[in-house]
Amino acid sequence: MPKWIFVTGGVLSGLGKGLVSASVSKLLQLRDQDMMPVKCDGYLNIDPGTMNPHEHGEVFVLEDGTEVDMDFGHYERFLGVKGKGDWNLTSGKIFQEVIDKERNGDYLGKTVQMVPHVTDQIRDKWENSAQEEDADIVIVEVGGTVGDIENMLYLETIRQMRSELPEEDTFLIHTTLVPYLETTGEQKTKPTQHSVKDLREEGLSPDMIVGRSQEKLTEEVQEKISLFCDVEKEAVISDPNLESVYELPLLFEDQGVDEIISRKMKLQTRNKDMQDWKKRVKALRNGEIAMIGICGKYMDMEDSYASVEEALKHAAVEEGGKIGIEYIDTENFDPEKLEELDGVVIPGGFGSRGVQGKIEAIKHCRENDIPVLGLCYGLQLMVVEFARNKLDIDAASAEFGDEDQEYVVKHMPDQEGIDQKGGTMRLGSYKAELTGQVKEIYGSEMASERHRHRYEVNPEYHQKLEQNGLKISGKTGNGELAEYVEIPEHSFFIGTQAHPEFNSTFEEPNPLYHAFTKTAQNQTP
Ligand code: GLN
């Protein structure tokens, strides 16, 4: 059976528990432990696919097509593991399963209760996935904060496991906020004390406290937290503001985080080699190698494109520097904004807002040979732009056009008539057969990337587009669907129906992003 690390949070949500889990996991992975990250969310949605990204950030898509919390982005980017749908629990999924079992008569006439039936279901899910994966350590992050009604069942499950399993088989990390009070010039520990009290009410005591703060925790504050919260002083860990999230594993290493965990959990570990990680973090401190514009609706910016930003960063690090990113609002689009840029990304998106601006941006890049990478909706809009200006047709996508226009992007028959919202898009990894520039870039005749979309380039237009110079350089195996498009004469005019950003990690950037960034870097504006 595996060992278990639990990560809880207190005081506020949004403290970066996902990054704490990812960083701890990275250090233990480098010590030869097979890590399996699990995220538990309290909400009743089955998955975040139907949630407003402005409220909840980017929806991350796993290889198996499950739409999951964006924390999986951190796990995969840090660890290089490929997450599975079962590793993201939501209360919605758990309740649905329990209710299905009840309807099936699986509980043999018993009264079905939160404890033990729901908690058993949670534990079964964790243990089954761990067994399937043959993981050494499962690290379970509980979303939200201690004290939320929604999280109580996860905490109760943890309590049961902590009391049943041998002491060295579990470890509890509690992440809290340690605010700095300007008037007195002090870091304050009271919120931490209170949240540990809340945790104790659930029957749990932490083995380690990670204090999220502006600056590193002072020694005095560490001592105080240690005394009042009953953890060893060396297990009170600083998690200050950092220039880059990838520095966190190094900072944790300095504080002996993996050492403390290994000792308490009696892990058989080997020495770790952090040279490559350190080299990459160093590159992030170098200058910007290229300035990239991401064109989107103003509303969508920030968290919605987290994976795109990270993939650009990974690619730049491979070239020894960092990336400059500017957001271009396509609802008030001004082509002059593109003048200073070395490259442009047209990211994924939904709906009609800001579309005209994105199409103008694509046109400007095409006509002025500015490197441009189209992602999903980006590819679809590249096709619309090309059809309008090179094929001279009144083109649109069925997503935003009206019926007297020609839909060069439309629903495929298997998507028509689907009214249900959750999990009904084309989701997860699909293979594409490559030719042209993309074949060179991937160094392969085949690429497999993750998808999340409803519409496709209309196959009736493939030939016309190709005859006029927009090459369909990646297709699904049956040749029916366009997966990549490119203009061969252009320095970099490539669109993909997929989201290659979901396959980029800090240690291994995605080839398409890498090629795009390199081309942008060589651009002299
Ligand atoms: N809105 C488009 C579609 O549904 C593109 C989706 C996306 O960019 N992820 O096909």
Side-chain angles (χ1 to χ4, degrees):
M1 267 323 245
K3 297 194 179 230
W4 304 83
I5 297 177
F6 301 107
V7 181
T8 57
V11 187
L12 292 179
S13 59
L15 288 178
K17 280 194 304 290
L19 286 168
V20 170
S21 302
S23 301
V24 167
S25 301
K26 186 73 217 174
L27 292 175
L28 293 171
Q29 185 192 54
L30 288 166
R31 281 172 164 254
D32 216 16
Q33 303 296 305
D34 277 331
M35 303 299 297
M36 181 186 134
V38 168
K39 173 81 197 281
C40 298
D41 289 302
Y43 49 74
L44 291 175
N45 306 60
I46 298 290
D47 60 48
T50 53
M51 287 158 83
N52 184 343
H54 304 135
E55 229 175 85
H56 203 73
E58 174 188 78
V59 176
F60 196 80
V61 181
L62 300 178
E63 221 164 45
D64 67 11
T66 319
E67 297 167 285
V68 292
D69 185 85
M70 65 186 287
D71 274 334
F72 273 88
H74 299 310
Y75 307 153
E76 292 202 358
R77 289 190 286 268
F78 276 59
L79 299 174
V81 297
K82 305 279 179 219
K84 307 234 169 95
D86 275 344
W87 304 2
N88 191 184
L89 264 54
T90 66
S91 297
K93 274 188 203 171
I94 294 292
F95 287 142
Q96 192 176 54
E97 287 171 4
V98 171
I99 290 167
D100 285 348
K101 273 191 180 174
E102 187 274 333
R103 291 289 83 178
N104 264 334
D106 294 356
Y107 294 111
L108 306 173
K110 291 229 167 63
T111 309
V112 181
Q113 293 181 297
M114 296 293 184
V115 183
H117 301 102
V118 178
T119 47
D120 281 354
Q121 184 69 17
I122 293 171
R123 186 166 171 179
D124 282 352
K125 294 283 283 187
W126 291 346
E127 287 181 344
N128 290 342
S129 313
Q131 233 155 23
E132 239 166 69
E133 253 0 84
D134 200 19
D136 295 325
I137 301 181
V138 184
I139 181 160
V140 179
E141 178 195 344
V142 180
T145 50
V146 171
D148 296 346
I149 292 182
E150 297 186 321
N151 288 326
M152 281 184 177
L153 292 163
Y154 296 124
L155 297 178
E156 170 57 19
T157 311
I158 296 173
R159 188 199 64 73
Q160 292 172 18
M161 290 173 75
R162 296 258 289 168
S163 75
E164 275 170 40
L165 295 172
E167 210 183 311
E168 66 267 23
D169 280 6
T170 72
F171 192 92
L172 176 59
I173 303 175
H174 189 57
T175 308
T176 72
L177 179 74
V178 180
Y180 176 78
L181 202 63
E182 259 175 57
T183 42
T184 55
E186 278 176 317
Q187 291 176 329
K188 306 301 282 181
T189 65
K190 197 61 93 184
T192 300
Q193 294 179 40
H194 276 295
S195 96
V196 170
K197 222 165 122 186
D198 286 342
L199 196 60
R200 289 197 194 291
E201 270 172 30
E202 307 296 331
L204 293 168
S205 334
D207 296 304
M208 177 177 276
I209 292 182
V210 174
R212 186 71 191 87
S213 55
Q214 264 169 295
E215 307 275 334
K216 281 191 183 164
L217 302 178
T218 63
E219 188 141 357
E220 208 186 325
V221 161
Q222 278 174 316
E223 270 162 23
K224 205 161 163 185
I225 293 178
S226 162
L227 180 66
F228 282 92
C229 302
D230 193 27
V231 288
E232 286 165 39
K233 185 179 152 211
E234 59 160 14
V236 179
I237 305 297
S238 284
D239 179 6
N241 293 351
L242 293 172
E243 213 163 286
S244 142
V245 296
Y246 300 105
E247 293 188 25
L248 196 55
L250 301 180
L251 194 84
F252 278 1
E253 196 217 6
D254 279 349
Q255 300 177 78
V257 168
D258 50 318
E259 204 52 60
I260 298 168
I261 296 175
S262 303
R263 209 182 318 130
K264 154 94 200 319
M265 299 187 84
K266 301 196 175 130
L267 301 179
Q268 307 284 338
T269 62
R270 59 140 201 234
N271 285 343
K272 57 189 182 297
D273 176 5
M274 299 209 68
Q275 282 319 312
D276 182 58
W277 194 273
K278 278 187 184 151
K279 196 183 91 204
R280 286 172 195 274
V281 167
K282 231 188 215 157
L284 277 169
R285 299 187 190 132
N286 293 340
E288 285 169 2
I289 63 160
M291 194 65 198
I292 304 295
I294 300 182
C295 291
K297 299 185 267 195
Y298 179 70
M299 288 270 292
D300 278 349
M301 308 238 167
E302 302 219 348
D303 267 358
S304 320
Y305 302 135
S307 293
V308 173
E309 269 197 38
E310 295 306 317
L312 289 169
K313 262 189 225 171
H314 303 157
V317 159
E318 193 74 11
E319 295 306 307
K322 67 169 173 245
I323 201 89
I325 291 177
E326 198 168 310
Y327 277 104
I328 311 284
D329 177 11
T330 50
E331 280 183 281
N332 299 292
F333 181 68
D334 169 8
E336 257 182 41
K337 287 261 168 64
L338 304 184
E339 296 301 305
E340 303 291 303
L341 301 171
D342 305 312
V344 172
V345 173
I346 313 291
F350 293 86
S352 56
R353 277 176 68 180
V355 157
Q356 198 44 43
K358 286 184 191 171
I359 292 175
E360 277 171 50
I362 293 167
K363 179 165 187 270
H364 190 84
C365 292
R366 185 175 55 76
E367 289 177 344
N368 296 286
D369 199 16
I370 299 169
V372 54
L373 173 63
L375 304 166
C376 203
Y377 211 12
L379 169 139
Q380 297 172 358
L381 296 176
M382 280 173 158
V383 169
V384 172
E385 189 279 328
F386 198 86
R388 281 185 186 174
N389 297 312
K390 299 291 281 185
L391 273 52
D392 216 15
I393 54 183
D394 184 15
S397 160
E399 188 165 359
F400 59 80
D402 54 60
E403 292 200 343
D404 41 349
Q405 288 183 295
E406 290 188 47
Y407 291 157
V408 292
V409 175
K410 64 166 202 172
H411 268 138
M412 291 309 286
D414 58 352
Q415 278 286 343
E416 251 158 270
I418 294 181
D419 294 328
Q420 221 180 346
K421 287 280 178 286
T424 52
M425 285 188 255
R426 184 169 174 236
L427 287 164
S429 282
Y430 286 90
K431 282 198 185 118
E433 283 173 15
L434 309 180
T435 53
Q437 285 181 12
V438 288
K439 183 176 148 192
E440 299 297 312
I441 288 171
Y442 279 94
S444 167
E445 283 174 6
M446 195 74 92
S448 173
E449 301 282 10
R450 303 180 201 179
H451 291 63
R452 181 173 191 256
H453 60 106
R454 276 205 174 83
Y455 298 88
E456 304 282 353
V457 178
N458 185 346
E460 283 166 34
Y461 290 88
H462 283 188
Q463 208 183 357
K464 252 193 213 157
L465 290 164
E466 299 227 65
Q467 279 163 354
N468 286 277
L470 186 71
K471 188 174 162 60
I472 298 176
S473 52
K475 285 188 179 174
T476 47
N478 57 7
E480 198 183 337
L481 303 178
E483 291 279 12
Y484 291 83
V485 300
E486 66 188 44
I487 299 179
E489 300 75 39
H490 202 284
S491 63
F492 195 109
F493 185 100
I494 299 181
T496 165
Q497 189 55 75
H499 292 277
E501 58 273 17
F502 293 141
N503 273 329
S504 179
T505 74
F506 190 48
E507 292 161 301
E508 213 174 305
N510 175 270
L512 193 60
Y513 274 85
H514 189 199
F516 168 68
T517 307
K518 273 212 297 211
T519 314
Q521 182 186 12
N522 296 330
Q523 201 74 355
T524 32

